[in-house]
Amino acid sequence: MRERPPGCKTVFVGGLPENATEQLIMEVFGQCGEIAAIRKSQKNFCHIRFAEEFNVDKALFLSGYHIRLGSSTDKKDTGRLHVDFAQARDDLYEWECHQRMMAREERHRRMIEEDRLRPPSPPPIVHYSEHECSQLGDKIKDDNKFPEAVRVLLTWLERGEVNRRNANNFYSMIQSSNGHIRRLTGEKSQHEKEVEEAKEKFRAAMSAILDQFEEIVSVFNAASKQKAWDHFSKAQRKNLDMWRTQVEKIRNLHNEQLMGIRGEEEMEMSDDDMEDSSPFNSKDSEDSGVSQAEALKEENDSLRCQLDAYRNEVELLKQEQGKNQPIGSEEDNTHSQQLSFLQQALQGMQKQLLRMRDELKEREAELEKNTEDTQQLKNQPETLKQDDRASEQSANQVSDVTASSVVSCSEDKEGLPEKNRPSPLHTERDALLVGIIATFLHVHPFGASIEYICSYLQRLDTKINTGEVEALLSRLPCTFRQELTGVGASLEKRWNFCGFQGIKST
């Protein structure tokens, strides 16, 4: 079956009998739902368009059924139904129209929601006139209507409504608005006092709650002593331990909250002190005296709060010390042992961290050296070749000298063992490279260029370069042989593996 097209209402019906009619099709598929149209072909298939989409799903269940007209067994009167989705332009057009309608409804719903959530626009500002100016002057003097009147006055000033005629009126309105400063400062100080009172109440309530928590913890500590602890069952002891841990956690959380609140208050006090220290130049001497008096009051309040906080902390410390004194010395010893173990573990971790840092530094230094060596090898391949050849000659000379010395020593002293000749392979890495190159060239009987060999080796190790590989091959003439192949411009140097022939000559 094909994939269902969007908005599909049409099905393809194949395998109909040749003598089938539209009436028969209506009788068979009319059970699935209302049929809008039938398009029958001269061959054994037709297209049926339903009124609704869900009718198509019902029609698909008829696929695979055998159909027969009456009791006839003729081929023209029998068939096997095949029902599948059909792609029709009418279905697609209706589906697109429905999608557009849904999108329009969604946009309309979104616009209504945005209009509902949009804040209301401010009321319009009246234009300036002498009547409005007199009314505005009365509104500015009223405490309740002052905010609205100030907005109107501000808009008039921004519009440029001031001229020589009404300058006195504007001056009087500005003067009356300035008179509200004392009222606002008084309200501010009153609200600050209310806030301080609420803070004090909150602080007192928190301290009372903490005292109650401490009493509960002391109850659990007293119950955990041996005098009372032995009389409880195992289940009761387990519950007591669980309750004690829960109470201690809650107490610690409340202590942290109280300390955080005190720290914030101290920060606010320091900020207030900084603000009070900054000079405030005022025109009226009375206003300056009032501000100084308020600042002194705030300082006194802050000092009182600090004294109360210190007193509470001292009392808490005394209570904790009094509770910890009757506890046996065994618990102190266990605590001291735990602290010593923790200190030792921390020291060990610090030492491990220092070692890891040193190892990382050494590895970074090695990586830097390797990168510098690779750059030098890439920039100077020719010099490496010359050095390798010179080293080969010197190595051959040294080997001849050592061989002659070994022969002379063997003639003079027959009992001493013979010394080994110096090997052309200096490290295990060279031996691995020789083995890999030998297997690679053994697979290529016609040889391979040095670039081809290096490209194969660089898949295994990216640090390998052509100079190193060529020097290694040249040090083993009995194992690898270099030959020239091609004619003219296609002349090429290739390395061959000759180990099977070289073992006889060696």
Side-chain angles (χ1 to χ4, degrees), residues 21-34:
T21 59
E22 290 187 4
Q23 186 177 1
L24 176 66
I25 296 168
M26 286 285 289
E27 183 181 354
V28 173
F29 287 92
Q31 302 173 4
C32 301
E34 184 182 354

Side-chain angles (χ1 to χ4, degrees), residues 375-443:
Q375 288 179 359
Q376 290 178 1
L377 290 170
K378 288 179 181 178
N379 294 329
Q380 298 177 355
E382 295 179 357
T383 55
L384 286 170
K385 291 179 182 178
Q386 294 176 1
D387 294 338
D388 292 330
R389 290 172 183 172
S391 62
E392 287 176 7
Q393 293 176 2
S394 61
N396 293 328
Q397 291 175 3
V398 170
S399 62
D400 295 337
V401 172
T402 51
S404 61
S405 62
V406 167
V407 170
S408 62
C409 291
S410 62
E411 289 176 357
D412 295 336
K413 298 178 180 180
E414 295 177 357
L416 294 174
E418 293 183 357
K419 294 183 181 180
N420 295 326
R421 294 177 61 188
S423 174
L425 303 178
H426 303 296
T427 60
E428 186 178 0
R429 185 169 178 272
D430 294 343
L432 290 171
L433 288 174
V434 168
I436 294 167
I437 294 168
T439 54
F440 180 74
L441 292 176
H442 184 63
V443 177

Side-chain angles (χ1 to χ4, degrees), residues 134-304:
S134 62
Q135 287 185 351
L136 185 64
D138 296 334
K139 289 180 181 178
I140 287 173
K141 292 175 183 178
D142 191 359
D143 296 340
N144 297 324
K145 299 179 181 179
F146 175 71
E148 297 178 0
V150 166
R151 293 192 198 98
V152 176
L153 179 61
L154 178 61
T155 53
W156 285 355
L157 290 170
E158 289 177 352
R159 288 177 184 174
E161 300 288 346
V162 185
N163 53 29
R164 289 185 180 180
R165 282 184 177 182
N166 55 15
N168 294 325
N169 296 329
F170 276 98
Y171 178 76
S172 63
M173 287 189 288
I174 294 168
Q175 189 177 6
S176 59
S177 62
N178 187 31
H180 287 278
I181 292 173
R182 291 184 181 179
R183 178 181 64 82
L184 295 172
T185 52
E187 290 179 358
K188 181 186 175 186
S189 61
Q190 186 178 359
H191 288 303
E192 286 177 352
K193 287 179 182 178
E194 292 176 357
V195 171
E196 291 294 332
E197 290 176 357
K199 284 183 179 179
E200 288 177 0
K201 289 180 181 178
F202 175 71
R203 206 178 297 113
M206 288 290 291
S207 61
I209 291 167
L210 285 173
D211 293 337
Q212 292 177 10
F213 274 121
E214 292 293 339
E215 290 175 356
I216 294 167
V217 171
S218 62
V219 167
F220 281 113
N221 289 328
S224 62
K225 290 181 180 178
Q226 190 172 4
K227 293 179 180 179
W229 190 256
D230 295 338
H231 299 288
F232 295 116
S233 62
K234 289 184 179 179
Q236 291 173 349
R237 291 176 186 175
K238 187 176 181 182
N239 291 328
L240 288 172
D241 288 332
M242 183 175 66
W243 294 339
R244 184 177 62 184
T245 53
Q246 289 177 358
V247 171
E248 287 178 353
K249 285 180 182 178
I250 295 167
R251 182 195 62 181
N252 294 330
L253 287 173
H254 282 281
N255 279 325
E256 289 177 359
Q257 288 180 359
L258 186 60
M259 294 300 292
I261 291 164
R262 288 174 181 171
E264 290 177 358
E265 289 177 355
E266 290 177 358
M267 291 293 290
E268 289 177 358
M269 290 171 189
S270 63
D271 293 336
D272 293 337
D273 295 336
M274 291 293 290
E275 289 177 358
D276 293 335
S277 65
S278 63
F280 181 74
N281 297 323
S282 62
K283 295 180 180 179
D284 299 332
S285 61
E286 295 178 358
D287 296 337
S288 63
V290 171
S291 62
Q292 289 177 2
E294 290 177 354
L296 290 171
K297 287 180 181 179
E298 289 177 356
E299 287 179 359
N300 289 328
D301 294 334
S302 64
L303 290 170
R304 286 176 185 173

Side-chain angles (χ1 to χ4, degrees), residues 34-47:
E34 184 182 354
I35 295 173
I38 297 174
R39 294 190 296 273
K40 188 175 181 302
S41 176
Q42 294 180 358
K43 297 182 180 180
N44 301 335
F45 69 90
C46 69
H47 290 85

Side-chain angles (χ1 to χ4, degrees), residues 296-408:
L296 290 171
K297 287 180 181 179
E298 289 177 356
E299 287 179 359
N300 289 328
D301 294 334
S302 64
L303 290 170
R304 286 176 185 173
C305 294
Q306 288 179 1
L307 286 171
D308 294 335
Y310 290 139
R311 285 173 185 170
N312 292 328
E313 289 177 359
V314 169
E315 289 176 359
L316 290 171
L317 288 170
K318 286 181 180 178
Q319 290 176 2
E320 289 178 358
Q321 288 177 0
K323 291 171 184 176
N324 292 327
Q325 282 178 1
I327 297 171
S329 60
E330 294 179 357
E331 293 181 359
D332 294 332
N333 293 328
T334 56
H335 286 304
S336 62
Q337 289 177 0
Q338 289 177 358
L339 288 172
S340 63
F341 290 148
L342 289 171
Q343 288 177 358
Q344 291 176 2
L346 286 171
Q347 289 177 1
M349 291 292 289
Q350 290 177 355
K351 290 179 181 179
Q352 288 181 0
L353 287 171
L354 291 172
R355 290 174 187 172
M356 292 292 289
R357 286 179 183 174
D358 295 333
E359 290 177 0
L360 285 171
K361 288 180 181 179
E362 291 176 358
R363 289 178 182 177
E364 288 177 357
E366 290 177 0
L367 287 171
E368 289 179 357
K369 289 180 181 179
N370 290 330
T371 52
E372 290 177 359
D373 294 334
T374 53
Q375 288 179 359
Q376 290 178 1
L377 290 170
K378 288 179 181 178
N379 294 329
Q380 298 177 355
E382 295 179 357
T383 55
L384 286 170
K385 291 179 182 178
Q386 294 176 1
D387 294 338
D388 292 330
R389 290 172 183 172
S391 62
E392 287 176 7
Q393 293 176 2
S394 61
N396 293 328
Q397 291 175 3
V398 170
S399 62
D400 295 337
V401 172
T402 51
S404 61
S405 62
V406 167
V407 170
S408 62

